[in-house]
Amino acid sequence: MLRTTAALPADNGSVPTALVAGATGIAGAALVDLLAGQGWTVLALSRKAAGDVQDRPGVTAIAADLTSPESLAAALGQTAPTHVFFTSWSRQETEAENISVNAAMVRNLLTALEHAPLEHVALMTGLKHYMGPFEAYGEGQMPDTPFSEEEPRLPVDNFYYAQEDVLMEAAARQGFAWSVHRAHTVIGFAVGNAMNMGQTLAAQATLCRELGLPFVFPGSETQWNSVTDMTDAGLLAEHMLWAATDEHTANEAFNVVNGDVFRWRSLWPRLAAFFGVDPEGFATAPRPLEMQMAGMSDAWNKLAVRDSLAEPDLGRLATWWHTDADLGRKMEVLTDMSKSRLAGFTGYRRTEDAFIALFERLQAERLIP
């Protein structure tokens, strides 16, 4: 399996300091692992300081609220990061609120770091850049697939656009380089994450096996049959580190996906085989998980108690609404990675392997039996 080998910046021989915003999330946790493993000093920022990073060499957990300038000023006033990796977001009821809150979080963090010797800020966004926000998901004119970074913005409000604008304004004012990383659905380990298809499907399959139910694909006919792709959290971390440390990638936006393509109609039976459940594909209409899995919290709790699982709260493992939104799309979703390849990024994952690796880790961590 090809992997990138992004190294420490070699400007003055000193060890750089990375601040990871959203350090307990699906992408942030992978970044903390990668950066710490490569010898960086890491400031792991989250709303609550993560206890599991406190004892790791080179990693300091910092608790701060990205929506509060006062909280950030108090937490970061004595820090001096050279690189920032922003992977956090806060889901709101409307896109107007998403724009207000999520753009402010980027602005608040960068304002709190005006004193710091910032060299590069990497921002994670996603393919809603091309498809529109949840309120207007796939509505209106969309670019052809595979999505290319050269496509103009859609004529709709989108918090990704607002975050990019804040980032670029701060870069011009504070003198750092930037990169934007547009990931597809991310596969990775993060308990309590609001957008986690891999853990959601693992919870669904576990409950299906427990209750003798078929493993039913919840999405649309288009998603069942179309070619698509996904993004492994480890690969995303490698991509963000590559762009933050390569002298030729400054001030650019990049798509980032695994590099393979697949159809759910082929992958679904293979995921079912891992759990020993009977797969059932698209029939006549989508069968959303919010309906399939309604009322399953008690069954999960009983299973967790019986098998001594680490997380009895099903809501911290499964996000039915997000997987329904992803798999319910009625358009092909496929991403062009040419820009990254031509710039030198060679990272690759096979999506099936990414799912299986996640499932095995969930078992090892006693989150599923």
Side-chain angles (χ1 to χ4, degrees):
M1 181 181 297
L2 291 174
R3 294 176 181 268
T4 58
T5 55
L8 300 176
D11 52 343
N12 58 10
S14 62
V15 175
T17 298
L19 186 150
V20 179
T24 59
I26 193 168
L31 271 162
V32 171
D33 286 343
L34 178 64
L35 291 162
Q38 294 203 2
W40 287 59
T41 297
V42 182
L43 307 176
L45 177 67
S46 56
R47 187 180 291 269
K48 295 181 180 179
D52 60 346
V53 302
Q54 293 280 30
D55 299 326
R56 295 183 56 180
V59 181
T60 300
I62 297 177
D65 182 354
L66 288 167
T67 67
S68 168
E70 297 77 17
S71 172
L72 289 167
L76 301 177
Q78 302 303 312
T79 65
T82 55
H83 295 71
V84 170
F85 299 88
F86 194 98
T87 68
S88 186
W89 84 296
S90 177
R91 185 190 182 198
Q92 305 298 312
E93 291 297 321
T94 67
E95 192 59 19
E97 292 173 295
N98 274 329
I99 290 170
S100 176
V101 172
N102 288 281
M105 293 197 306
V106 177
R107 183 181 302 109
N108 293 342
L109 178 62
L110 297 180
T111 299
L113 293 173
E114 285 183 337
H115 67 280
L118 295 183
E119 298 175 15
H120 192 103
V121 177
L123 170 68
M124 173 191 170
T125 64
L127 297 193
K128 288 189 290 297
H129 183 96
Y130 306 109
M131 295 185 289
F134 285 121
E135 285 184 3
Y137 211 28
E139 298 178 7
Q141 187 66 37
M142 284 177 46
D144 285 338
T145 55
F147 297 136
S148 168
E149 296 92 339
E150 284 69 39
E151 293 291 344
R153 291 179 175 182
L154 299 175
V156 296
D157 292 335
N158 190 321
F159 83 84
Y160 286 162
Y161 303 163
Q163 286 185 314
E164 286 187 355
D165 290 343
V166 169
L167 174 65
M168 294 174 195
E169 290 166 5
R173 184 175 62 253
Q174 295 171 234
F176 57 77
W178 57 266
S179 57
V180 174
H181 304 261
R182 298 170 185 162
H184 198 169
T185 303
V186 180
I187 309 166
F189 180 89
V191 178
N193 185 263
M195 299 170 67
N196 198 327
M197 181 188 289
Q199 288 180 185
T200 296
L201 296 183
Q204 177 196 3
T206 298
L207 284 165
C208 289
R209 183 177 60 200
E210 177 72 8
L211 301 174
L213 301 172
F215 184 49
V216 175
F217 181 76
S220 69
E221 183 175 15
T222 301
Q223 289 303 302
W224 181 247
N225 290 315
S226 294
V227 173
T228 190
D229 49 27
M230 294 185 73
T231 306
D232 177 75
L235 182 94
L236 173 58
E238 292 173 9
H239 192 265
M240 295 182 78
L241 179 55
W242 162 74
T245 56
D246 189 297
E247 62 182 6
H248 303 297
T249 56
N251 307 330
E252 296 285 350
F254 295 98
N255 295 331
V256 49
V257 289
N258 288 338
D260 71 337
V261 296
F262 66 95
R263 300 181 199 272
W264 280 107
R265 70 188 188 201
S266 298
L267 182 59
W268 196 256
R270 299 200 292 272
L271 300 185
F274 179 90
F275 291 95
V277 292
D278 294 327
E280 191 170 308
F282 179 86
T284 58
R287 289 173 281 182
L289 291 175
E290 284 198 302
M291 297 176 61
Q292 288 191 51
M293 298 287 109
M296 291 290 190
S297 294
D298 287 344
W300 183 268
N301 185 266
K302 291 176 182 177
L303 171 66
V305 171
R306 187 194 70 201
D307 289 358
S308 300
L309 300 184
E311 183 51 72
D313 182 355
L314 180 59
R316 285 181 52 76
L317 289 177
T319 48
W320 311 128
W321 70 269
H322 178 256
T323 296
D324 284 341
D326 264 8
L327 297 183
R329 295 177 296 204
K330 296 180 180 179
M331 81 292 287
E332 181 182 76
V333 182
L334 191 64
T335 313
D336 183 9
M337 276 285 284
S338 297
K339 184 176 180 180
S340 291
R341 300 295 185 227
L342 292 170
F345 182 76
T346 59
Y348 179 87
R349 297 289 191 280
R350 192 173 75 140
T351 298
E352 181 178 351
D353 294 340
F355 271 115
I356 299 305
L358 172 61
F359 298 158
E360 290 174 344
R361 182 173 178 184
L362 292 172
Q363 289 178 328
E365 301 277 354
R366 298 302 303 159
L367 287 161
I368 62 174

